Amino acid sequence: MKSKTLLASLIFTTLLVGCDQSTQQTAAAPAEKPKTPVQRRGDIASDYRYSLQADGPDICLRRVVEILGKETKVTSVKSFFGTGEALSSSPAFVTPKGVLKTCSVEYQDPQDGKKLLSLDMDAFSGEFKAPVRVKITVTGNADSFKLDDYLIALSKVDAAAIKPFLDGKKSWLDTYFSEHALYSVTLNEPGPFNDKHVLSIRMDGLLTSNGINKYVTASLSMDGKRVIKDGFKAGK
């Protein structure tokens, strides 16, 4: 198990990373195959390349594997989905329910194993932008920080279990919430609450009992075979 100092360090690293646009590594990720251009017609679901209904909750992770390869080591992969008008925190920025609006990954620089690069997807075209350098900042004992402690090969991640997990919770969700939508699916690095990578799920909703906004979370092991935390059971 890694020291508490290092575990706390990576959480702050994630929060404080900055992208240096002047140090782009365009050769660090393979070029994508051309796709049919997406015609943008405003902020509607058909403008977005991917959706839960058509592509599943693990679409971001699958695309990351496709572009980087299974043996690439990553610290995190983050995907966020539109939750629709009823669950939006800002009426001015409503994203259609179920569309993939954000997909990003931070991964080990193949040219320098002590550094990280990041990739972000354009939600409309479904293509990844050029990789950029991530500035790593740690708190605590910087001398003992080792990036290898927070990397995992994509080949060890199986997100296929996320959909059946969510399907199994549908009845409970339909009862607990009057309306609900998947907010995020993320591959999270080790932190103060877990000493290994985990697959995390967040569902936003309106409580049936009083109409108040609330979210519930769950986390699965990397192989998808073990539920580490299940906040869906009791709304915790």
Side-chain angles (χ1 to χ4, degrees):
M1 180 180 294
K2 306 172 187 66
S3 70
K4 291 183 178 179
T5 301
L6 286 177
L7 290 174
S9 294
L10 196 69
I11 292 299
F12 281 97
T13 299
T14 303
L15 292 175
L16 296 177
V17 293
C19 294
D20 182 358
Q21 299 288 345
S22 65
T23 56
Q24 292 190 1
Q25 288 269 0
T26 56
E32 295 202 80
K33 297 179 181 179
K35 297 181 177 63
T36 302
V38 177
Q39 297 296 322
R40 295 181 59 173
R41 296 178 294 279
D43 197 22
I44 58 177
S46 59
D47 283 341
Y48 293 81
R49 181 73 181 191
Y50 300 110
S51 69
L52 286 171
Q53 183 176 4
D55 306 292
D58 61 339
I59 178 59
C60 177
L61 280 158
R62 299 201 323 267
R63 288 289 286 116
V64 166
V65 171
E66 181 182 331
I67 190 69
L68 293 180
K70 290 184 178 181
E71 298 313 311
T72 297
K73 293 183 178 181
V74 304
T75 56
S76 64
V77 179
K78 301 184 185 299
S79 59
F80 296 88
F81 297 86
T83 55
E85 185 175 1
L87 298 175
S88 176
S89 58
S90 174
F93 298 97
V94 176
T95 307
K97 185 176 180 178
V99 300
L100 178 66
K101 65 178 184 178
T102 303
C103 175
S104 62
V105 57
E106 292 184 358
Y107 62 102
Q108 187 176 34
D109 186 342
Q111 298 179 10
D112 186 342
K114 295 180 180 179
K115 298 186 182 299
L116 289 174
L117 297 174
S118 70
L119 283 177
D120 289 282
M121 178 190 287
D122 181 296
F124 299 104
S125 69
E127 297 181 359
F128 284 96
K129 304 171 186 177
V132 295
R133 181 78 69 194
V134 172
K135 181 180 180 181
I136 300 176
T137 305
V138 301
T139 60
N141 186 1
D143 290 339
S144 61
F145 178 82
K146 295 180 181 178
L147 182 58
D148 286 343
D149 291 334
Y150 300 96
L151 294 169
I152 186 171
L154 288 168
S155 60
K156 296 182 179 180
V157 182
D158 186 357
I162 293 176
K163 186 179 186 305
F165 173 83
L166 290 174
D167 288 345
K169 299 298 181 180
K170 187 178 186 307
S171 178
W172 178 85
L173 289 166
D174 288 343
T175 301
Y176 191 68
F177 293 120
S178 60
E179 182 168 345
H180 56 80
L182 183 65
Y183 176 79
S184 65
V185 172
T186 58
L187 166 61
N188 292 336
E189 67 279 351
F193 303 110
N194 50 278
D195 61 356
K196 297 181 179 180
H197 282 81
V198 295
L199 288 168
S200 295
I201 305 163
R202 170 174 157 173
M203 185 75 66
D204 286 14
L206 299 176
L207 291 171
T208 301
S209 58
N210 55 22
I212 300 299
N213 288 77
K214 184 175 181 178
Y215 68 85
V216 291
T217 61
S219 57
L220 308 179
S221 59
M222 288 294 89
D223 58 8
K225 297 179 179 179
R226 183 167 58 94
V227 178
I228 297 173
K229 173 189 175 183
D230 188 357
F232 285 46
K233 289 186 192 175
K236 294 181 180 179

PDB file of all heavy atoms in Angstrom, residues 10 15 65 68 70 73 86 92 102 115 136 158 169 177 213 226-227 233:
ATOM      1  N   LEU A  10      -1.532  12.767  -4.918  1.00  0.00           N
ATOM      2  CA  LEU A  10      -2.081  12.624  -6.252  1.00  0.00           C
ATOM      3  C   LEU A  10      -3.434  13.292  -6.381  1.00  0.00           C
ATOM      4  O   LEU A  10      -3.778  13.793  -7.435  1.00  0.00           O
ATOM      5  CB  LEU A  10      -2.204  11.153  -6.649  1.00  0.00           C
ATOM      6  CG  LEU A  10      -2.391  11.002  -8.162  1.00  0.00           C
ATOM      7  CD1 LEU A  10      -1.148  11.385  -8.905  1.00  0.00           C
ATOM      8  CD2 LEU A  10      -2.835   9.621  -8.523  1.00  0.00           C
ATOM      9  N   LEU A  15      -6.114  17.902  -9.094  1.00  0.00           N
ATOM     10  CA  LEU A  15      -6.830  19.160  -9.018  1.00  0.00           C
ATOM     11  C   LEU A  15      -6.011  20.329  -9.560  1.00  0.00           C
ATOM     12  O   LEU A  15      -6.566  21.304 -10.042  1.00  0.00           O
ATOM     13  CB  LEU A  15      -7.207  19.459  -7.559  1.00  0.00           C
ATOM     14  CG  LEU A  15      -8.248  18.525  -6.941  1.00  0.00           C
ATOM     15  CD1 LEU A  15      -8.425  18.859  -5.471  1.00  0.00           C
ATOM     16  CD2 LEU A  15      -9.582  18.643  -7.671  1.00  0.00           C
ATOM     17  N   VAL A  65      -8.866   3.396 -25.426  1.00  0.00           N
ATOM     18  CA  VAL A  65      -8.104   2.194 -25.771  1.00  0.00           C
ATOM     19  C   VAL A  65      -7.835   2.151 -27.270  1.00  0.00           C
ATOM     20  O   VAL A  65      -6.738   1.812 -27.720  1.00  0.00           O
ATOM     21  CB  VAL A  65      -8.858   0.922 -25.330  1.00  0.00           C
ATOM     22  CG1 VAL A  65      -8.168  -0.323 -25.879  1.00  0.00           C
ATOM     23  CG2 VAL A  65      -8.942   0.848 -23.815  1.00  0.00           C
ATOM     24  N   LEU A  68      -5.075   4.946 -27.977  1.00  0.00           N
ATOM     25  CA  LEU A  68      -3.780   4.832 -27.302  1.00  0.00           C
ATOM     26  C   LEU A  68      -3.217   3.415 -27.285  1.00  0.00           C
ATOM     27  O   LEU A  68      -2.009   3.240 -27.170  1.00  0.00           O
ATOM     28  CB  LEU A  68      -3.892   5.333 -25.855  1.00  0.00           C
ATOM     29  CG  LEU A  68      -4.152   6.824 -25.660  1.00  0.00           C
ATOM     30  CD1 LEU A  68      -4.240   7.153 -24.171  1.00  0.00           C
ATOM     31  CD2 LEU A  68      -3.078   7.665 -26.325  1.00  0.00           C
ATOM     32  N   LYS A  70      -3.932  -0.828 -25.765  1.00  0.00           N
ATOM     33  CA  LYS A  70      -4.209  -1.465 -24.474  1.00  0.00           C
ATOM     34  C   LYS A  70      -3.053  -1.379 -23.479  1.00  0.00           C
ATOM     35  O   LYS A  70      -3.266  -1.406 -22.268  1.00  0.00           O
ATOM     36  CB  LYS A  70      -4.573  -2.934 -24.677  1.00  0.00           C
ATOM     37  CG  LYS A  70      -5.925  -3.144 -25.334  1.00  0.00           C
ATOM     38  CD  LYS A  70      -6.251  -4.630 -25.422  1.00  0.00           C
ATOM     39  CE  LYS A  70      -7.633  -4.857 -26.032  1.00  0.00           C
ATOM     40  NZ  LYS A  70      -7.966  -6.301 -26.093  1.00  0.00           N
ATOM     41  N   LYS A  73      -0.231   3.172 -20.242  1.00  0.00           N
ATOM     42  CA  LYS A  73      -0.533   3.331 -18.825  1.00  0.00           C
ATOM     43  C   LYS A  73      -1.136   4.711 -18.576  1.00  0.00           C
ATOM     44  O   LYS A  73      -0.629   5.716 -19.060  1.00  0.00           O
ATOM     45  CB  LYS A  73       0.741   3.151 -17.987  1.00  0.00           C
ATOM     46  CG  LYS A  73       1.282   1.721 -18.036  1.00  0.00           C
ATOM     47  CD  LYS A  73       2.499   1.561 -17.145  1.00  0.00           C
ATOM     48  CE  LYS A  73       2.993   0.114 -17.163  1.00  0.00           C
ATOM     49  NZ  LYS A  73       4.183  -0.046 -16.274  1.00  0.00           N
ATOM     50  N   ALA A  86     -34.041  19.145 -16.650  1.00  0.00           N
ATOM     51  CA  ALA A  86     -34.572  19.014 -15.292  1.00  0.00           C
ATOM     52  C   ALA A  86     -33.475  18.894 -14.243  1.00  0.00           C
ATOM     53  O   ALA A  86     -33.644  19.332 -13.107  1.00  0.00           O
ATOM     54  CB  ALA A  86     -35.509  17.809 -15.206  1.00  0.00           C
ATOM     55  N   ALA A  92     -28.858  27.963 -18.530  1.00  0.00           N
ATOM     56  CA  ALA A  92     -28.168  28.527 -19.690  1.00  0.00           C
ATOM     57  C   ALA A  92     -27.204  27.529 -20.334  1.00  0.00           C
ATOM     58  O   ALA A  92     -26.742  27.740 -21.455  1.00  0.00           O
ATOM     59  CB  ALA A  92     -27.411  29.785 -19.280  1.00  0.00           C
ATOM     60  N   THR A 102     -18.071  15.033 -22.427  1.00  0.00           N
ATOM     61  CA  THR A 102     -16.652  15.171 -22.103  1.00  0.00           C
ATOM     62  C   THR A 102     -16.007  13.801 -22.028  1.00  0.00           C
ATOM     63  O   THR A 102     -16.558  12.884 -21.415  1.00  0.00           O
ATOM     64  CB  THR A 102     -16.444  15.879 -20.750  1.00  0.00           C
ATOM     65  OG1 THR A 102     -17.069  17.154 -20.777  1.00  0.00           O
ATOM     66  CG2 THR A 102     -14.964  16.062 -20.459  1.00  0.00           C
ATOM     67  N   LYS A 115       6.651  11.743 -16.998  1.00  0.00           N
ATOM     68  CA  LYS A 115       5.729  12.840 -17.314  1.00  0.00           C
ATOM     69  C   LYS A 115       4.400  12.303 -17.825  1.00  0.00           C
ATOM     70  O   LYS A 115       4.282  11.140 -18.212  1.00  0.00           O
ATOM     71  CB  LYS A 115       6.364  13.784 -18.333  1.00  0.00           C
ATOM     72  CG  LYS A 115       7.639  14.451 -17.827  1.00  0.00           C
ATOM     73  CD  LYS A 115       8.159  15.485 -18.792  1.00  0.00           C
ATOM     74  CE  LYS A 115       9.457  16.106 -18.292  1.00  0.00           C
ATOM     75  NZ  LYS A 115       9.267  16.798 -16.992  1.00  0.00           N
ATOM     76  N   ILE A 136       2.566  18.407 -13.442  1.00  0.00           N
ATOM     77  CA  ILE A 136       2.270  17.686 -12.205  1.00  0.00           C
ATOM     78  C   ILE A 136       2.750  18.505 -11.020  1.00  0.00           C
ATOM     79  O   ILE A 136       3.918  18.899 -10.947  1.00  0.00           O
ATOM     80  CB  ILE A 136       2.951  16.308 -12.187  1.00  0.00           C
ATOM     81  CG1 ILE A 136       2.459  15.454 -13.362  1.00  0.00           C
ATOM     82  CG2 ILE A 136       2.694  15.607 -10.863  1.00  0.00           C
ATOM     83  CD1 ILE A 136       3.142  14.112 -13.471  1.00  0.00           C
ATOM     84  N   ASP A 158     -11.559  -3.300 -17.358  1.00  0.00           N
ATOM     85  CA  ASP A 158     -12.702  -3.865 -18.070  1.00  0.00           C
ATOM     86  C   ASP A 158     -13.965  -3.150 -17.601  1.00  0.00           C
ATOM     87  O   ASP A 158     -14.498  -3.434 -16.533  1.00  0.00           O
ATOM     88  CB  ASP A 158     -12.811  -5.370 -17.814  1.00  0.00           C
ATOM     89  CG  ASP A 158     -13.909  -6.021 -18.648  1.00  0.00           C
ATOM     90  OD1 ASP A 158     -14.606  -5.284 -19.380  1.00  0.00           O
ATOM     91  OD2 ASP A 158     -14.060  -7.245 -18.567  1.00  0.00           O
ATOM     92  N   LYS A 169     -29.811  -1.763 -11.442  1.00  0.00           N
ATOM     93  CA  LYS A 169     -30.244  -0.749 -10.477  1.00  0.00           C
ATOM     94  C   LYS A 169     -31.451   0.056 -10.975  1.00  0.00           C
ATOM     95  O   LYS A 169     -31.952   0.912 -10.263  1.00  0.00           O
ATOM     96  CB  LYS A 169     -29.094   0.222 -10.189  1.00  0.00           C
ATOM     97  CG  LYS A 169     -27.865  -0.421  -9.583  1.00  0.00           C
ATOM     98  CD  LYS A 169     -28.170  -1.038  -8.235  1.00  0.00           C
ATOM     99  CE  LYS A 169     -26.924  -1.670  -7.620  1.00  0.00           C
ATOM    100  NZ  LYS A 169     -27.222  -2.281  -6.299  1.00  0.00           N
ATOM    101  N   PHE A 177     -35.817   7.933  -7.373  1.00  0.00           N
ATOM    102  CA  PHE A 177     -35.847   9.216  -8.078  1.00  0.00           C
ATOM    103  C   PHE A 177     -37.081   9.323  -8.974  1.00  0.00           C
ATOM    104  O   PHE A 177     -37.497   8.340  -9.588  1.00  0.00           O
ATOM    105  CB  PHE A 177     -34.611   9.384  -8.961  1.00  0.00           C
ATOM    106  CG  PHE A 177     -33.312   9.505  -8.218  1.00  0.00           C
ATOM    107  CD1 PHE A 177     -32.297   8.582  -8.411  1.00  0.00           C
ATOM    108  CD2 PHE A 177     -33.089  10.566  -7.343  1.00  0.00           C
ATOM    109  CE1 PHE A 177     -31.081   8.704  -7.751  1.00  0.00           C
ATOM    110  CE2 PHE A 177     -31.877  10.693  -6.674  1.00  0.00           C
ATOM    111  CZ  PHE A 177     -30.877   9.765  -6.867  1.00  0.00           C
ATOM    112  N   ASN A 213     -32.705  17.764  -5.633  1.00  0.00           N
ATOM    113  CA  ASN A 213     -31.587  17.166  -6.370  1.00  0.00           C
ATOM    114  C   ASN A 213     -30.681  16.381  -5.434  1.00  0.00           C
ATOM    115  O   ASN A 213     -30.350  16.840  -4.338  1.00  0.00           O
ATOM    116  CB  ASN A 213     -30.761  18.255  -7.057  1.00  0.00           C
ATOM    117  CG  ASN A 213     -31.478  18.878  -8.233  1.00  0.00           C
ATOM    118  OD1 ASN A 213     -32.369  19.699  -8.061  1.00  0.00           O
ATOM    119  ND2 ASN A 213     -31.087  18.477  -9.427  1.00  0.00           N
ATOM    120  N   ARG A 226     -16.074  -6.933  -9.039  1.00  0.00           N
ATOM    121  CA  ARG A 226     -16.344  -6.679  -7.624  1.00  0.00           C
ATOM    122  C   ARG A 226     -16.860  -5.263  -7.426  1.00  0.00           C
ATOM    123  O   ARG A 226     -16.293  -4.308  -7.959  1.00  0.00           O
ATOM    124  CB  ARG A 226     -15.055  -6.888  -6.811  1.00  0.00           C
ATOM    125  CG  ARG A 226     -15.224  -6.728  -5.313  1.00  0.00           C
ATOM    126  CD  ARG A 226     -13.995  -7.258  -4.597  1.00  0.00           C
ATOM    127  NE  ARG A 226     -12.779  -6.589  -5.021  1.00  0.00           N
ATOM    128  CZ  ARG A 226     -12.258  -5.526  -4.393  1.00  0.00           C
ATOM    129  NH1 ARG A 226     -12.865  -5.017  -3.325  1.00  0.00           N
ATOM    130  NH2 ARG A 226     -11.151  -4.980  -4.840  1.00  0.00           N
ATOM    131  N   VAL A 227     -17.950  -5.151  -6.666  1.00  0.00           N
ATOM    132  CA  VAL A 227     -18.480  -3.842  -6.298  1.00  0.00           C
ATOM    133  C   VAL A 227     -17.789  -3.401  -5.021  1.00  0.00           C
ATOM    134  O   VAL A 227     -17.927  -4.036  -3.980  1.00  0.00           O
ATOM    135  CB  VAL A 227     -20.004  -3.885  -6.096  1.00  0.00           C
ATOM    136  CG1 VAL A 227     -20.524  -2.522  -5.665  1.00  0.00           C
ATOM    137  CG2 VAL A 227     -20.704  -4.340  -7.373  1.00  0.00           C
ATOM    138  N   LYS A 233     -27.772   1.494  -3.262  1.00  0.00           N
ATOM    139  CA  LYS A 233     -28.671   0.695  -2.436  1.00  0.00           C
ATOM    140  C   LYS A 233     -29.561   1.542  -1.549  1.00  0.00           C
ATOM    141  O   LYS A 233     -30.760   1.359  -1.489  1.00  0.00           O
ATOM    142  CB  LYS A 233     -27.868  -0.254  -1.540  1.00  0.00           C
ATOM    143  CG  LYS A 233     -27.203  -1.398  -2.259  1.00  0.00           C
ATOM    144  CD  LYS A 233     -26.584  -2.308  -1.206  1.00  0.00           C
ATOM    145  CE  LYS A 233     -25.665  -3.321  -1.824  1.00  0.00           C
ATOM    146  NZ  LYS A 233     -25.000  -4.112  -0.764  1.00  0.00           N
TER     147      LYS A 233
END
